[in-house]
Amino acid sequence: MKYFHEQIEAKWQQYWAENQTFAASNNSEKPKYYVLDMFPYPSGAGLHVGHPLGYIASDIVARFKRHKGFNVLHPQGYDSFGLPAEQYAIQTGQHPDTTTKENIARYREQLDKIGFSFDWSREVRTSNADYYKHTQWIFIQLFNSWYNKNTDKAEDIATLITLFSNEGNTSVNAVCDDNIVSFSASEWNAFSSEEQQKILLQYRLTYLAETEVNWCPALGTVLANDEIVNGVSERGGHPVIRKKMTQWSMRISAYAERLLQGLDTIDWSESIKESQRNWIGKSVGASVDFRLQNAEGSISVFTTRPDTIFGVTFMTLAPEHELVSQITTPEQKAAVEAYVEATAKRSERERMADVKTISGVFTGAFAEHPFTKEPIPVWIGDYVLAGYGTGAVMAVPCGDERDYAFANFFKGTHGMPEIKNIFNQDISEAAYGEKGGFELVNSDFLNGLGYKDGTKKIIEELEKIGQGKGKTNYRLRDAVFSRQRYWGEPFPVYYVNGLPQMIEAKHLPIVLPEVEKYLPTEDGQPPLGNATTWAWDSVNCSVVGNDLIDNKTIFPLELNTMPGWAGSSWYWMRYMDAHNENEFASAEAIKYWENVDLYIGGSEHATGHLLYSRFWNKFLKDRGYAPTEEPFKKLINQGMILGMSAFVYRQHISFHKQIDSPVDNFTGSVTDDSFEGFQVLVSKNIKEKNNKATYPLLEELDEFTRRYVQKKFEEFENDENIEAYGYSISYHPIHVDLAVINDITNELDIEAFKNHPLYSDYKDAEFILEDGKYIVGREVEKMSKSKYNVVNPDDICNDYGADTLRLYEMFLGPLEQAKPWNTAGITGVSGFLKKLWRLYFDDNGSIVTNDEPTAEMYKSLHKTIKKVTEDIENFSFNTSVSQFMICVNELATMKCNSRKILEPLAILVSPYAPHIAEELWSQLGHEGSVSTVAFPICEEKYLVESEKEYPVSFNGKMRFTIKLPLDLTVPQIQEIVMADERTIKQLDGRIPNKVIIVPGKVINLVG
């Protein structure tokens, strides 16, 4: 009976689907376990073998937990809104919904083929109206909430309105906009409805504000920071500029401290936690107001070093700072405007990363020192960011390296003063940035103080004069929530006199309307401006074009859509109760599942997705909709599977000719790299040989290249103008599609290469072979379609089986490390499964017996049970696969066919190779699925050593081994060893001077 993976895997995948084997219950007496993979975006490219790595790991855990008696929720769905589908729609005119559904169908086909134990009955898609209905509802809750610092949580906006009505806002302690105007209760009650709405917008957790955004003109939309790479859009590589726009924003900054403190309560890697801490960026210091000279107003700064205030030499504003246009003098206007325009073309990330370039412009304005009243020149510089702190810094060159470099670079220009030294330390070569080891000098009433005492004293003095106070600041900024795209969640918003109103929840969902064009309108409106009909559960309202009509009054609708992270910021809760039409999940379901026990996904989401998810979860907890503060208890970032790229090498020969020209007396070097109309591609090892030296000897070259070079030399010899000549060889590597090579032998299929549409330029190329073959070069790189090194998991499943793919991906190395894919290595894992199968069957059928196993068989099994159990609990899956191989080899050597060994072995293998395990379990005579059978438990009694294989040495050299019971005494051991024929032969009649025996360890005969 042979092992046919195709039939077995298809059979059990069908069984699981028909029987809903992995459907989780929301009402179970079993303990719950919720394991989740990060939400995949269904791209048109489908999966390559790198994508399933995390899914396989999570599936092993999910299956293991079912064996351990848990009610396991292991769902899957799709983050199906996104820019790629929209860009494809713009290019082809095909609706994003159509391509998205096609991509999802392809993903589902591939995922099913690998045998994941997903509960597909709970599948969600963020682009389905029955899903984003609830995203819209959550947005409304955010709009109708404010953050109360006294209770340290979000509350209903109605409680804030009550406070305003009874007390005004002077005693309200809220997270809100800056520069809030104070008012009394009577003033509030006298305000018009519109005035009250405008004030409430300054407090709401989602609000409209003019914000600096990353604007991509080519894509016609705002981009998040993580959608920008090296200053251009990740999608398409288009330029991105900074631009002010009125946008919806989320007040995530309200949760900065809770997001920071919550990291101490969750089991995440320290590197991910540190990334989040840095992104949140907590800083303790002081806010200081520097009044402007010869103008109204002041410049507010936040500094972590208020003790250095007497060292302020100049001030720097972000180019986008609102004061720049107000304070710039006419003489500096042109220079400032040019600098602002140039800075707008650089992303914030680019500006932050560029620490070498020094640039800036003097505004012509001066501020006033709070204590000395000395004038301080005000500059702008792109190293200051508008969104961090106040967008302004007090520059203290003696204590900050970047300020030091800036001051020295512009020294003597535009009134840049000499650097003031306020430390009793030398700053002639560099700034002194330490917080200790100094006393302040030249600092008036701070002289003689250090950092701690100086900071305390200066804050007291600033508060006395009303120009500053102690403050904690965060780098984390409110998240821009508007996108000028089509393919996203519509906002449940309309406008009355320019003020946003929420459409009633009973009318949700606001369904994404059809449009003819996915580009912005001719007058610059977002793509939804092209809509002619919107739809929702209308009761009192109707829609014409982009307007809502209520009682014959027309109100414009919001035309922006939500960002991609809207739907992915709460999706784990929808899985808990995926078909609930009235709520995003019932209170009972949420109470049962609580949060995710294990979350697996890529480290590229270390900040964006994970911060937004934690923010929404904390908000929903505040409002009574979530039971826990944190959404994900444990997080594991799987490493990347790297592709093994293949290369052919185009040969490039440069001929250097020394020419003496009588016409213009020119003598120089001219390069001729022509291959006379054809390309030459050199096999890897010949390339290596030719490339040993920059100028290789002719006799070291391959025959074709040598003949070509000699021919050129003959031409040079016949040209009387050429006095001297030489040559050099270089090679240009060209990525090759893996489809045209043998992935095991690395041999290029030359005809397939010539006929491949990608390589039409090489149809008439000359191929320089080695032993009649063209061997390609190989190199480990990121797996990517652009490098043609993508391996399709379907091919592996077809050729070797899904169980082989699963085991091999785990066998490659530790889950969290990057590792290269090598298809050649998969044959070993395939062979292991066949060897496992042969423990149960021969050509005639089952060979399983009811014989009692030997002690060694029990030992091999229970050693494996112990190892695999520990490995899964520690997420060390690669060593489990190694242990399976050791165990099967041991059992095969022992000719073990005992049911008492092979039944538990089938269960042990099940989380890793579920298809073969199911078939083995069925063939052993069991009904149903192996997936919930109790996991074997290691019995230590089988691991207790009763014998020891001693090395027997003579004068320190081991000559043979002998297996003896461990309970023997030293005299008994010596008696047995001395009587052994091998000892007698080795001694050859001699009597040893000494016999050294260490029980359980060594035997050594000396002399």
Side-chain angles (χ1 to χ4, degrees):
M1 185 173 175
K2 292 186 177 179
Y3 170 54
F4 295 106
H5 67 79
E6 306 96 327
Q7 299 167 5
I8 291 170
E9 291 175 358
K11 168 187 172 181
W12 287 104
Q13 286 165 15
Q14 182 179 355
Y15 176 91
W16 296 331
E18 290 175 353
N19 291 275
Q20 293 285 290
T21 304
F22 307 116
S25 170
N26 284 0
N27 299 292
S28 175
E29 294 181 357
K30 295 179 179 179
K32 72 95 181 180
Y33 193 84
Y34 186 175
V35 56
L36 182 64
D37 302 292
M38 285 190 183
F39 226 8
Y41 174 79
S43 73
L47 299 172
H48 60 62
V49 292
H51 292 126
L53 179 67
Y55 299 163
I56 295 169
S58 67
D59 199 56
I60 289 171
V61 175
R63 289 176 177 275
F64 174 72
K65 289 294 182 178
R66 290 191 194 95
H67 285 301
K68 284 293 190 177
F70 286 82
N71 177 32
V72 175
L73 176 55
H74 185 35
Q76 188 58 282
Y78 305 96
D79 191 10
S80 47
F81 273 133
L83 189 57
E86 180 161 328
Q87 287 299 295
Y88 189 74
I90 291 170
Q91 294 163 9
T92 65
Q94 197 169 10
H95 198 289
D97 184 60
T98 303
T99 55
T100 297
K101 286 177 178 175
E102 290 172 354
N103 294 346
I104 286 175
R106 175 73 180 123
Y107 261 57
R108 178 63 189 272
E109 177 189 15
Q110 290 185 291
L111 291 170
D112 283 346
K113 209 165 193 173
I114 302 174
F116 295 118
S117 64
F118 293 132
D119 180 356
W120 284 112
S121 70
R122 297 175 186 249
E123 178 194 308
V124 299
R125 303 180 184 186
T126 58
S127 58
N128 282 2
D130 61 358
Y131 180 87
Y132 66 71
K133 163 186 178 178
H134 303 290
T135 309
Q136 292 170 341
W137 180 85
I138 294 172
F139 176 85
I140 294 172
Q141 307 316 303
L142 282 154
F143 182 81
N144 289 325
S145 299
W146 66 292
Y147 200 90
N148 187 339
K149 286 186 177 180
N150 290 337
T151 58
D152 199 21
K153 68 175 186 177
E155 296 181 3
D156 194 305
I157 200 74
T159 62
L160 183 63
I161 294 172
T162 300
L163 284 171
F164 288 168
S165 299
N166 297 332
E167 306 172 15
N169 71 342
T170 53
S171 62
V172 169
N173 188 15
V175 176
C176 55
D177 291 354
D178 295 329
N179 305 317
I180 295 289
V181 176
S182 298
F183 54 81
S184 65
S186 59
E187 288 173 320
W188 168 263
N189 293 322
F191 288 149
S192 68
S193 173
E194 287 188 6
E195 288 173 319
Q196 289 181 346
Q197 288 182 57
K198 288 177 182 177
I199 292 170
L200 289 173
L201 268 179
Q202 297 177 305
Y203 290 85
R204 295 182 186 276
L205 284 184
T206 185
Y207 60 95
L208 280 173
E210 189 174 63
T211 310
E212 280 279 337
V213 295
N214 302 309
W215 175 253
C216 181
L219 298 176
T221 188
V222 167
L223 297 177
N225 285 334
D226 55 7
E227 294 174 313
I228 303 168
V229 178
N230 298 324
V232 297
S233 64
E234 184 179 34
R235 182 72 178 177
H238 303 294
V240 177
I241 62 173
R242 297 291 291 172
K243 179 180 178 180
K244 282 192 174 181
M245 296 179 69
T246 299
Q247 303 283 294
W248 282 102
S249 291
M250 291 277 180
R251 217 178 288 276
I252 187 175
S253 58
Y255 287 84
E257 187 62 28
R258 282 169 63 183
L259 287 167
L260 197 60
Q261 297 303 321
L263 294 172
D264 295 333
T265 68
I266 49 182
D267 184 8
W268 294 13
S269 71
E270 196 54 40
S271 62
I272 295 294
K273 288 184 179 183
E274 196 59 26
S275 293
Q276 294 223 339
R277 290 188 187 107
N278 291 336
W279 197 264
I280 295 166
K282 183 177 181 179
S283 302
V284 178
S287 62
V288 186
D289 293 330
F290 289 81
R291 292 175 182 145
L292 290 166
Q293 281 196 343
N294 306 318
E296 291 294 322
S298 62
I299 299 173
S300 294
V301 304
F302 171 80
T303 176
T304 59
R305 294 296 304 274
D307 59 308
T308 65
I309 196 167
F310 287 98
V312 176
T313 301
F314 61 98
M315 301 192 75
T316 314
L317 304 182
E320 308 88 353
H321 197 289
E322 59 184 9
L323 281 177
V324 171
S325 60
Q326 300 173 32
I327 67 174
T328 299
T329 61
E331 297 80 9
Q332 293 299 110
K333 188 173 186 291
V336 166
E337 288 179 348
Y339 188 80
V340 170
E341 183 180 352
T343 303
K345 297 176 182 177
R346 305 182 73 201
S347 70
E348 285 194 359
R349 281 189 176 180
E350 188 180 357
R351 286 160 60 181
M352 291 169 67
D354 185 6
V355 296
K356 294 181 179 179
T357 304
I358 300 171
S359 68
V361 175
F362 179 48
T363 66
F366 291 85
E368 180 183 275
H369 194 281
F371 297 102
T372 69
K373 306 305 180 185
E374 293 175 350
I376 303 171
V378 181
W379 289 63
I380 60 172
D382 66 359
Y383 73 95
V384 182
L385 304 177
Y388 180 58
T390 64
V393 299
M394 60 176 221
V396 182
C398 66
D400 181 271
E401 282 297 337
R402 197 146 192 179
D403 293 344
Y404 187 89
F406 195 95
N408 280 316
F409 187 82
F410 291 106
K411 185 177 180 180
T413 65
H414 299 297
M416 176 65 75
E418 290 289 326
I419 295 174
K420 299 176 183 178
N421 188 8
I422 57 167
F423 303 116
N424 62 341
Q425 301 290 329
D426 178 27
I427 63 161
S428 59
E429 299 295 330
Y432 185 79
E434 302 297 324
K435 288 185 176 180
F438 69 87
E439 286 184 1
L440 288 167
V441 297
N442 303 319
S443 296
D444 202 301
F445 52 83
L446 297 181
N447 284 340
L449 300 180
Y451 163 71
K452 189 173 181 180
D453 292 336
T455 298
K456 182 180 178 182
K457 178 68 173 175
I458 195 63
I459 291 174
E460 291 174 357
E461 296 301 319
L462 284 167
E463 290 176 349
K464 284 181 185 178
I465 64 173
Q467 285 189 246
K469 60 182 180 179
K471 186 179 180 181
T472 298
N473 195 48
Y474 298 91
R475 182 181 291 113
L476 182 67
R477 285 163 287 170
D478 289 345
V480 176
F481 200 66
S482 296
R483 297 293 185 268
Q484 294 66 44
R485 302 177 188 165
Y486 170 74
W487 192 235
E489 297 92 336
F491 283 92
V493 175
Y494 66 100
Y495 291 88
V496 177
N497 296 328
L499 291 169
Q501 313 294 320
M502 297 297 109
I503 292 170
E504 290 185 61
K506 65 183 178 183
H507 299 320
L508 302 181
I510 311 303
V511 179
L512 189 66
E514 297 288 336
V515 296
E516 288 187 11
K517 294 186 296 185
Y518 305 106
L519 291 167
T521 64
E522 292 180 1
D523 59 354
Q525 294 284 357
L528 288 188
N530 295 310
T532 57
T533 304
W534 292 57
W536 61 79
D537 181 16
S538 178
V539 177
N540 300 312
C541 310
S542 60
V543 174
V544 175
N546 289 305
D547 298 317
L548 178 148
I549 302 178
D550 187 7
N551 296 325
K552 298 184 179 180
T553 304
I554 298 176
F555 304 112
L557 294 163
E558 173 64 67
L559 300 182
N560 287 314
T561 53
M562 298 185 197
W565 56 268
S568 63
S569 290
W570 69 278
Y571 75 105
W572 64 93
M573 297 179 110
R574 186 59 177 169
Y575 283 137
M576 297 177 182
D577 197 9
H579 304 294
N580 192 324
E581 295 181 4
N582 301 316
E583 308 165 279
F584 66 82
S586 69
E588 294 78 16
I590 295 173
K591 182 180 179 181
Y592 177 75
W593 293 109
E594 289 188 327
N595 57 5
V596 177
D597 295 282
L598 175 64
Y599 198 31
I600 296 182
S603 59
E604 65 271 18
H605 301 293
T607 50
H609 162 63
L610 291 173
L611 274 175
Y612 298 143
S613 298
R614 296 178 64 217
F615 159 44
W616 278 40
N617 197 90
K618 289 174 189 296
F619 165 73
L620 290 169
K621 180 179 186 296
D622 288 351
R623 295 304 309 276
Y625 301 114
T628 61
E629 184 81 3
E630 292 289 340
F632 315 120
K633 289 182 183 177
K634 182 173 182 63
L635 171 70
I636 294 178
N637 296 125
Q638 83 272 13
M640 188 182 295
I641 287 186
L642 304 172
M644 183 67 77
S645 298
F647 300 90
V648 293
Y649 301 96
R650 188 175 71 225
Q651 187 165 261
H652 178 101
I653 303 180
S654 295
F655 293 96
H656 310 287
K657 299 173 288 187
Q658 205 74 18
I659 299 174
D660 183 12
S661 172
V663 178
D664 54 10
N665 296 317
F666 168 76
T667 301
S669 180
V670 179
T671 300
D672 176 7
D673 58 3
S674 167
F675 256 112
E676 299 178 349
F678 63 91
Q679 307 276 11
V680 175
L681 300 177
V682 181
S683 186
K684 173 182 175 288
N685 292 318
I686 293 180
K687 184 268 295 187
E688 299 291 346
K689 179 183 175 185
N690 287 354
N691 215 27
K692 282 182 180 178
T694 306
Y695 305 105
L697 298 174
L698 275 174
E699 55 267 28
E700 293 177 345
L701 299 177
D702 64 274
E703 183 180 355
F704 176 89
T705 306
R706 184 172 63 251
R707 288 206 318 264
Y708 182 79
V709 173
Q710 286 174 332
K711 178 185 174 186
K712 298 296 288 187
F713 281 0
E714 288 171 5
E715 294 175 8
F716 299 155
E717 288 174 354
N718 295 329
D719 189 336
E720 59 185 22
N721 293 322
I722 298 177
E723 293 187 343
Y725 49 86
Y727 73 99
S728 62
I729 299 179
S730 60
Y731 294 90
H732 176 66
I734 301 164
H735 280 97
V736 177
D737 190 334
L738 298 185
V740 298
I741 70 165
N742 183 313
D743 210 19
I744 296 175
T745 65
N746 296 326
E747 183 180 352
L748 179 72
D749 184 333
I750 295 176
E751 287 307 310
F753 176 81
K754 287 181 177 181
N755 293 318
H756 196 291
L758 288 171
Y759 310 113
S760 56
D761 290 347
Y762 302 96
K763 205 168 188 66
D764 298 319
E766 178 74 28
F767 290 82
I768 299 179
L769 311 179
E770 49 185 289
D771 299 325
K773 300 175 182 178
Y774 189 104
I775 304 301
V776 298
R778 303 304 296 265
E779 187 176 321
V780 174
E781 298 182 294
K782 179 181 178 181
M783 196 169 280
S784 165
K785 284 182 69 179
S786 65
K787 302 181 188 303
Y788 311 112
N789 62 359
V790 169
V791 177
N792 190 329
D794 294 358
D795 296 337
I796 304 299
C797 289
N798 292 337
D799 294 343
Y800 300 98
D803 286 342
T804 299
L805 173 68
R806 292 167 63 104
L807 283 165
Y808 184 59
E809 293 218 2
M810 293 298 97
F811 187 54
L812 284 173
L815 178 63
E816 294 167 273
Q817 292 182 10
K819 45 254 175 190
W821 176 272
N822 183 358
T823 303
I826 208 166
T827 54
V829 174
S830 177
F832 156 73
L833 285 175
K834 292 173 182 175
K835 198 166 189 177
L836 171 67
W837 182 262
R838 287 196 294 273
L839 289 176
Y840 297 77
F841 307 101
D842 63 14
D843 291 344
N844 299 315
S846 175
I847 54 174
V848 177
T849 70
N850 292 317
D851 295 346
E852 180 64 24
T854 65
E856 285 300 307
M857 292 174 186
Y858 274 123
K859 179 182 176 183
S860 183
L861 172 67
H862 284 268
K863 182 172 59 175
T864 304
I865 294 171
K866 180 180 175 70
K867 177 67 174 162
V868 172
T869 301
E870 291 174 351
D871 282 349
I872 296 177
E873 289 173 344
N874 294 317
F875 309 100
S876 181
F877 307 110
N878 58 311
T879 51
S880 278
V881 180
S882 299
Q883 183 58 41
F884 285 138
M885 293 176 174
I886 292 168
C887 178
V888 167
N889 282 336
E890 289 176 349
L891 294 178
T893 300
M894 291 183 271
K895 294 183 170 39
C896 175
N897 305 119
S898 172
R899 179 179 291 270
K900 289 184 179 180
I901 300 297
L902 299 184
E903 276 196 350
L905 180 61
I907 303 169
L908 272 181
V909 169
S910 174
Y912 290 80
H915 305 89
I916 194 171
E918 291 276 23
E919 186 65 17
L920 294 175
W921 189 252
S922 175
Q923 292 290 338
L924 286 167
H926 299 288
E927 297 290 331
S929 171
V930 72
S931 62
T932 56
V933 177
F935 206 72
I937 297 173
C938 174
E939 295 184 47
E940 293 290 340
K941 66 181 181 181
Y942 293 115
L943 302 182
V944 176
E945 297 283 352
S946 59
E947 290 185 317
K948 167 68 180 179
E949 190 168 28
Y950 285 89
V952 180
S953 300
F954 293 82
N955 294 320
K957 292 184 179 180
M958 199 272 285
R959 297 301 183 184
F960 63 87
T961 61
I962 186 170
K963 189 174 286 187
L964 299 172
L966 279 170
D967 57 358
L968 293 178
T969 63
V970 170
Q972 289 173 326
I973 294 172
Q974 181 170 335
E975 183 180 349
I976 293 170
V977 170
M978 294 302 294
D980 191 283
E981 290 182 0
R982 292 168 294 180
T983 302
I984 295 170
K985 182 178 180 181
Q986 190 69 37
L987 290 174
D988 193 25
R990 299 189 307 278
I991 298 174
N993 296 327
K994 193 175 185 181
V995 178
I996 301 170
I997 297 174
V998 180
K1001 293 186 178 180
V1002 296
I1003 301 171
N1004 187 22
L1005 286 73
V1006 181

